[in-house]
Amino acid sequence: MTYFPEEVVERIFDFLATHRDRNAVSTVCKTWYRVERLSRRSVFVGNCYAVRPERVVARYPRLRSLTVKGKPHFADFNLVPHDWGGFALPWIEAAARGCPGLEELRLKRMIVFDESLELLARSFPNFKVLVLISCEGFSTDGLAAIATYCRVLRELDLQENEMEDRGPQWLSCFPDSCTSLVSLNFACLKGEVNAVSLERLVARCPNLRTLRLNRAVSVDTLSKILARAPHLVDLGTGSFTIDHRAEAYHKLINNFIKCKSLRSLSGFWDATPRCLPAVYPICGNLTGLNLSYAPAIQGADLIKLIRQCSKLQRLWVLDCIGDKGLAVVANTCKELQELRVFPSDVYGEGIAAVTEEGLVAVSSGCPKLISLLYFCHQMTNAALITVAKNCPQFTRFRLCILDPGKPDPVTNQPLDEGFGAIVQSCKDLRRLSLSGHLTDQVFLYIGMYAERLEMLSIAFAGDSDKGMVYVLNGCKNLRKLEIRDSPFGDAALLEDVGKYETMRSLWMSSCDVTLGGCKTLAAKMPRLNVEVINEMDESDELEENPSDLHRVEKMYVYRTVAGPRNDAPDFVWTL
Amino acid sequence: MQKRVMEEDFRKGEGRPQLLHLIPNERDWMVKEVGGGGKCFGVSKEKKLELRLGLPGGEDWSAVNDKREEHPVEPALSLGHYSKVSKTTGSNPSSVGAKRGFLDTVESKTEVFQQQQQHQPGFLQLQAKGKELSQKTNGRAEQQSLEKKASGSPVAHGSAAAPCGDAAGANNSSQTSRTATTPVVGWPPIRSFRRNLASTSKPSLESWNGGSETAVKFENGRKGLFVKINMDGIPIGRKVDLKAYDSYEKLALAVDELFQGLLAAQRDPLTAGIQKNPEEKQAITGLLDGSGEYTLVYEDDEGDTMLVGDVPWGMFVSTAKRLRVLKSSELSATSLGAVSRKRTAT
């Protein structure tokens, strides 16, 4: 291969689809390294502190697409202080200097300021795609900058961000000349938008395929938009409330009927049962449906709707669908690949909406199911064993029993056997979240069987250090391990320190790890950042020089070639 | 071809690694299920697993298997668990009780498993309120769970499920009380916007189901719509939540209930405060049709006084600012003029 001209080698590399493969070929020899880096178009940085932005930009000057992730996953559940870090600015600045051809930027769990967005908008003339997921720190002013300066913007995708609303003007900042939009998602925006601007924008973008509105957009506006854009493929409704006797309702139905390409529906805020029939005409074509923002739609109406969605591949619902509703899903949605059942009654004792029964039904009726997120009030080993037998093809299995540490209610046993069956049967399992009463035994099973496991989430589980050690010793593909409220201490942490360099990160909170243990780890492994997060609200002990025996409340360990970070706030100690 | 041969070998158990024997003997049925599923995952992979085992302390498989045979039902680890539980509950008796009770579970466990195999589990039975542990319909189990309920304390009484149940029950009782106390931080693992979603929408569910649809923004609906209501002759006004009703009839009934007692007290001060005598109270009827002693009127957002019942319910809810219960004889004097003006206007 070294006798080929570099252009040829470059063409060959074009066929490499994954980051992993491209990373691999770059290590073969200096020539390949050079060819690879100069032809690399897309880079994925799983941890923004693992490498310096300048380094990335220097190595890949011809970068077109950059993806960066910031805070650890548990930040989603408020376990990470907001100002822990994960700033987007350094990345945008570096890219502005080194990769002027950047076209796509995707950020997850990062802090993005309006200034950063403005810099982004002005620095890249060819900028096409901006995706912000679970980010914070920006406002509609930042969006206005994007709208104003990104002349060829194709995608603006805002998912689950915390953003400040400074008025509806941003949408009007899209110039009349902007006709390139393919995807626009502002569902997480809390404020109003100008309906007329929105309609006009939709009307002048003939390639628009994805449109997700926010709650503030009325059904009236939705109806008009549908009339203008019947070619939509993915629609997120705004507030879905309408008097079903009114003429507007019939107009809405007619407009829906015209949307022959519609394949995915979401939104449905404030939807009531009587509004649902508006979407019946298109249900038969749907491959994706998200009703998880509509708590007023209860079992019977959900069932009526789902009975018509035989092509569904992805379904997100609230647990008011009930076991009965899940049985209907099992009977109807034979193409189902991903199911998410969210809790609707988080704190109340209420009626247990879904139990193990619903899950078993879906597992037996949906042969293509590979991804699951399931919140329920109880689970049994027998059910999990059945599910494991029915669905050996799971790649993502996240089960959350709402009561922490709850055992199998029938046998009173821990759920070790059930989860054990899952990991044993599902050879391709890449992601697993555990819950319920679990002993070290389940970790033994995971270590033994979960060969492909990349991400494991543990909460209120295990008896001793052995549990964690089983996992670290066994799961050779483990990339992310996050643990909370489990009795794992220094012995487990220090058992195999080299392991952490093969992983992206380790999070431990409310465990038994001490400051001394963390210091030891940091001393042994210079290429790891061992961060101890001390939120000093009540405990006075944790002032200056706390004892090494002191238990650490939150610890985040990650491999890095960038050394300790220079933007850590006071309460984060990098040891 | 090769694959089929491998499959047969797998089924014959030749390729089957010892790993599956880690599952205790009572649970043979589980092993059968998984192995006999007919899915071949490749013998070579299983073999790889055999070689690769890296248990802490360098234990080899035979050692592990021996351990399993010694404790056919529960690995030693579980006892460790029980003592952990007692640590968290902080009560010594329960840990002793738990250990004692553990032996009892050995016998009863097989029973439970057999039951599971014979009967289709009635999962729905398990959804008792307060997360009590319910048992399969088995005389002994029921009796024991009753015993457990009767005792009420975390100490085990040797009942079947109870020891684990009590150890876990101690856990459970703290868990049931958990829902009454502050929830655990960051649990359940859902995003904050999902947390608020359910709780804010819940109260209004009753008014939606079966109720007439209104064009009113649902934003208002969730919070309840309280308007003042005064009754002629009664100095103290009350408040009603218009969102709690879906028709004029229901509203009228509510008004009746609200003011009946007060009215009776006004009429006869002596009976005020004495236990209510339902027969003596007079129902306030005819509020809507002018046939009764009192009539229900309201002030709308334009300041006009209207007869309750004139406009569709939805419009009423969205425009009513306050309510009044007037003596029907008073109507003609002042307000009716405004009412008739409004009527002709519409």
Side-chain angles (χ1 to χ4, degrees), chain B residues 20-21 23-34 117:
Chain B
L20 293 174
H21 291 313
I23 296 126
N25 291 332
E26 260 85 5
R27 297 167 213 191
D28 271 352
W29 57 274
M30 174 196 147
V31 170
K32 282 188 212 130
E33 306 261 298
V34 176
Q117 282 176 300

Coordinates of all heavy atoms in Angstrom, one line a residue, chain B residues 20-21 23-34 117:
Chain B
L20 N -22.7 -22.1 33.1 CA -24.2 -22.1 33.3 C -24.5 -22.8 34.6 O -25.5 -22.6 35.2 CB -24.9 -22.8 32.2 CG -24.8 -22.0 30.9 CD1 -25.4 -22.7 29.7 CD2 -25.5 -20.7 31.0
H21 N -23.5 -23.6 35.1 CA -23.8 -24.3 36.4 C -23.6 -23.4 37.5 O -23.9 -23.7 38.7 CB -22.8 -25.5 36.5 CG -23.1 -26.6 35.6 ND1 -24.3 -27.1 35.4 CD2 -22.3 -27.3 34.8 CE1 -24.3 -28.0 34.5 NE2 -23.1 -28.2 34.1
I23 N -25.5 -21.1 38.0 CA -26.8 -20.9 38.4 C -27.2 -22.1 39.3 O -27.1 -23.2 38.9 CB -27.8 -20.7 37.3 CG1 -27.4 -19.5 36.5 CG2 -29.2 -20.6 37.7 CD1 -27.2 -19.8 35.0
P24 N -27.6 -21.8 40.6 CA -27.9 -22.9 41.5 C -28.9 -23.9 41.0 O -29.7 -23.7 40.1 CB -28.5 -22.2 42.7 CG -28.0 -20.8 42.6 CD -27.8 -20.5 41.1
N25 N -28.8 -25.2 41.6 CA -29.5 -26.3 41.1 C -31.0 -26.1 41.0 O -31.6 -26.6 40.1 CB -29.2 -27.6 41.9 CG -27.7 -28.0 41.7 OD1 -27.2 -27.7 40.6 ND2 -27.1 -28.6 42.7
E26 N -31.5 -25.5 42.0 CA -33.0 -25.3 42.0 C -33.4 -24.6 40.7 O -34.6 -24.7 40.3 CB -33.4 -24.4 43.2 CG -34.0 -25.2 44.3 CD -32.9 -25.7 45.2 OE1 -31.7 -25.3 45.0 OE2 -33.2 -26.4 46.2
R27 N -32.5 -23.9 40.1 CA -33.0 -23.2 39.0 C -32.6 -23.8 37.7 O -32.3 -23.2 36.7 CB -32.3 -21.8 39.0 CG -32.9 -21.1 40.3 CD -32.1 -19.9 40.7 NE -32.1 -19.8 42.1 CZ -31.7 -18.7 42.8 NH1 -31.2 -17.7 42.1 NH2 -31.7 -18.7 44.1
D28 N -32.6 -25.1 37.7 CA -32.3 -25.9 36.5 C -33.2 -25.4 35.3 O -32.8 -25.3 34.2 CB -32.5 -27.3 36.7 CG -31.3 -28.0 37.2 OD1 -30.2 -27.3 37.2 OD2 -31.3 -29.2 37.5
W29 N -34.4 -25.1 35.7 CA -35.4 -24.7 34.7 C -35.0 -23.5 34.0 O -35.2 -23.3 32.8 CB -36.8 -24.6 35.3 CG -36.8 -23.6 36.4 CD1 -36.6 -23.8 37.7 CD2 -37.2 -22.2 36.3 NE1 -36.7 -22.6 38.4 CE2 -37.1 -21.6 37.6 CE3 -37.6 -21.4 35.2 CZ2 -37.4 -20.3 37.8 CZ3 -37.9 -20.0 35.5 CH2 -37.8 -19.5 36.8
M30 N -34.3 -22.7 34.6 CA -33.8 -21.5 33.9 C -32.7 -21.8 32.9 O -32.7 -21.4 31.8 CB -33.2 -20.5 35.0 CG -32.6 -19.3 34.3 SD -31.6 -18.4 35.4 CE -30.3 -17.8 34.3
V31 N -31.8 -22.7 33.3 CA -30.8 -23.1 32.4 C -31.4 -23.7 31.2 O -31.0 -23.4 30.1 CB -29.9 -24.1 33.2 CG1 -28.9 -24.7 32.2 CG2 -29.1 -23.5 34.3
K32 N -32.4 -24.6 31.4 CA -33.0 -25.2 30.3 C -33.6 -24.2 29.3 O -33.4 -24.3 28.1 CB -34.1 -26.2 30.7 CG -33.7 -27.4 31.3 CD -34.8 -28.4 31.6 CE -34.5 -29.3 32.8 NZ -35.6 -29.3 33.8
E33 N -34.3 -23.3 29.9 CA -34.9 -22.3 29.0 C -33.9 -21.6 28.1 O -34.0 -21.5 26.9 CB -35.5 -21.2 29.9 CG -36.5 -21.7 30.9 CD -37.9 -21.5 30.5 OE1 -38.3 -20.4 30.2 OE2 -38.6 -22.6 30.4
V34 N -32.8 -21.2 28.7 CA -31.8 -20.4 27.9 C -31.1 -21.3 26.9 O -31.0 -21.0 25.8 CB -30.8 -19.7 28.9 CG1 -29.7 -19.0 28.1 CG2 -31.5 -18.8 29.8
Q117 N -43.7 -22.1 38.3 CA -43.7 -22.9 37.1 C -45.1 -23.3 36.8 O -45.5 -23.4 35.7 CB -42.8 -24.1 37.3 CG -41.4 -23.7 37.1 CD -40.5 -24.9 37.4 OE1 -40.5 -25.5 38.5 NE2 -39.7 -25.4 36.4

